[in-house]
Amino acid sequence: MNPHLEDCDEFPLHCPNGCSKEGEEGLRELKRKDIPVHLDNHCPLQKVQCAYWEHGCREEMERRQTDTHEREFFHIHFKLSMTDIKQKQTDSTEQLNAYANRIAILEKQNSSLTKALLPHLRTGKLEWNVKEVKQKIENKDITYSDPFYVGLYKCQCIIYWDFESTDNVGVFIRIMRGDFDEKLHWPIRYRRTLVLINRVNNKDNFVNSRELTNEDLEKYPNSFKRPTEHENNGLGTRSLISNTKLLEEKYYEQDSVALHISVEVLPSL
C-alpha cells in the first residue's frame, strides 16, 4: 500500500465492528478520520455502558440494544436511582442541589422515571448563612442566594436589607426559568417557611410561614406562572424583622445570620 494511504484521513475503511448501513448489504464504509466519532456516537454494534451505570447498573451492551435494555430494566433503574438518592440525603446543601440536577438529567433520559419520582420531590430547602450583615444593612444592599430546587422547579431567595427604607428586612422567593419547565405544572402553588435561626440556643427560632392561595395567584400572576424571562417576580414578606432588632437580638452572631428556607409545592386548588 502507498505509505500515504496508511495515514490518510480521507482513505475509506470499513467499520471496525463490522456494522452495515440500515437497509443495505455489505460493511459500512467510512473515512479514516470519521471512525472515532462513528464508534463513540453512532455505531449500533459498539459496546456501551448502561445510562444508569453511575447508579449501580453494570450492564454493557451493543448500542442498538440500549432502548430495549432501558424498557426491560425500568423498575431496577428506578430502584437503583432512589437508593442512590436516599443514601446521599445527609450530604451538604450543595451536594443535595447537585443530586437535584442529576435527577433533572435522569428526566431527560427517561420520562417515565421522572413521572414516578416527582410525587416524592415536593419540598426544597436552603440553609443560608449570610455574612457581612452589618455592612449590607448600612449599604441597603440586596442579597441573592444561589439557586435551589424544589423538585424540578428552580428557585432563589432574595434579601432586601432595608426594604423601601423602612428599616425592615424583606425576604422574597422567586421562581427562575429552568430546563424542565415544560414538564411541570403551572401556575405553581406552594407553602413557604422562613426560619431565622437563634444563634444562642437554636430552639427559640423566628418562624414566618405562609401558604399561598388562589387569591395570591390572581393578585400576583407573574409570580407563579411559567417563567418567560430569566426569573419571575418575587413574593414574600416585606418585614421579616427590623434591622434594629436583628442586630440586637440573638439571631446575629459574628456579623452573620442563618436563614433556613423551605418551599413545599402544593396541589392545585
Side-chain angles (χ1 to χ4, degrees):
M1 178 184 288
N2 186 322
H4 166 71
L5 298 181
E6 294 181 1
D7 299 314
C8 178
D9 287 340
E10 301 295 324
F11 190 74
L13 295 171
H14 290 139
C15 169
N17 291 328
C19 75
S20 303
K21 287 187 177 181
E22 187 174 352
E24 297 183 10
E25 295 182 359
L27 299 179
R28 184 188 299 267
E29 193 172 88
L30 300 153
K31 295 178 182 180
R32 177 180 276 113
K33 66 180 182 181
D34 295 332
I35 287 180
V37 173
H38 170 71
L39 295 178
D40 289 342
N41 300 286
H42 306 295
C43 180
L45 302 183
Q46 179 70 7
K47 286 283 188 179
V48 295
Q49 295 175 347
C50 171
Y52 296 88
W53 183 275
E54 64 178 15
H55 295 287
C57 182
R58 292 295 181 261
E59 293 290 331
E60 292 186 0
M61 67 218 75
E62 293 177 352
R63 181 175 280 113
R64 63 182 177 178
Q65 299 170 327
T66 55
D67 288 345
T68 301
H69 170 74
E70 290 188 7
R71 286 196 302 269
E72 293 179 351
F73 289 84
F74 165 75
H75 295 293
I76 293 176
H77 291 157
F78 173 74
K79 184 176 180 180
L80 287 171
S81 300
M82 289 299 294
T83 301
D84 191 26
I85 292 168
K86 289 178 181 179
Q87 288 176 344
K88 297 174 174 67
Q89 285 180 338
T90 56
D91 291 346
S92 65
T93 300
E94 291 80 8
Q95 290 173 314
L96 287 174
N97 286 338
Y99 296 134
N101 287 331
R102 182 175 297 174
I103 292 169
I105 293 172
L106 287 173
E107 194 275 343
K108 278 186 173 179
Q109 298 173 340
N110 194 318
S111 59
S112 297
L113 176 59
T114 301
K115 291 177 182 178
L117 284 173
L118 281 176
H120 304 282
L121 296 173
R122 293 293 183 185
T123 302
K125 295 182 179 181
L126 173 68
E127 297 181 0
W128 193 9
N129 186 39
V130 189
K131 301 178 180 179
E132 300 178 349
V133 169
K134 198 166 186 179
Q135 182 179 346
K136 288 180 169 64
I137 293 175
E138 292 174 354
N139 294 340
K140 300 183 179 181
D141 284 346
I142 301 174
T143 305
Y144 301 87
S145 77
D146 291 333
F148 64 101
Y149 283 87
V150 182
L152 296 179
Y153 292 93
K154 189 177 182 180
C155 305
Q156 188 177 48
C157 183
I158 312 169
I159 298 177
Y160 293 80
W161 293 100
D162 189 15
F163 187 78
E164 296 182 343
S165 300
T166 59
D167 191 45
N168 289 319
V169 178
V171 181
F172 295 80
I173 306 294
R174 67 182 180 184
I175 308 300
M176 306 183 73
R177 187 167 62 190
D179 293 334
F180 309 100
D181 291 347
E182 65 180 25
K183 304 286 187 181
L184 303 174
H185 178 77
W186 303 99
I188 182 176
R189 178 172 167 265
Y190 60 84
R191 178 189 296 111
R192 63 109 179 105
T193 302
L194 310 174
V195 181
L196 194 57
I197 302 299
N198 185 327
R199 309 300 284 273
V200 176
N201 57 32
N202 200 27
K203 293 181 180 179
D204 186 21
N205 299 322
F206 184 86
V207 180
N208 180 289
S209 183
R210 186 161 183 264
E211 180 176 317
L212 303 180
T213 64
N214 274 355
E215 183 179 346
D216 294 312
L217 269 65
E218 294 172 2
K219 190 173 182 181
Y220 309 104
N222 289 335
S223 295
F224 307 102
K225 67 178 184 178
R226 176 180 172 182
T228 54
E229 303 296 332
H230 186 259
E231 67 277 322
N232 284 350
N233 296 335
L235 196 66
T237 174
R238 301 183 177 195
S239 56
L240 179 66
I241 192 172
S242 71
N243 286 318
T244 302
K245 186 175 181 180
L246 178 68
L247 294 178
E248 291 177 353
E249 292 280 356
K250 54 237 174 190
Y251 311 111
Y252 176 75
E253 182 179 73
Q254 297 180 352
D255 199 25
S256 69
V257 295
L259 181 64
H260 291 188
I261 300 101
S262 175
V263 179
E264 179 187 358
V265 176
L266 301 174
S268 301
L269 293 175

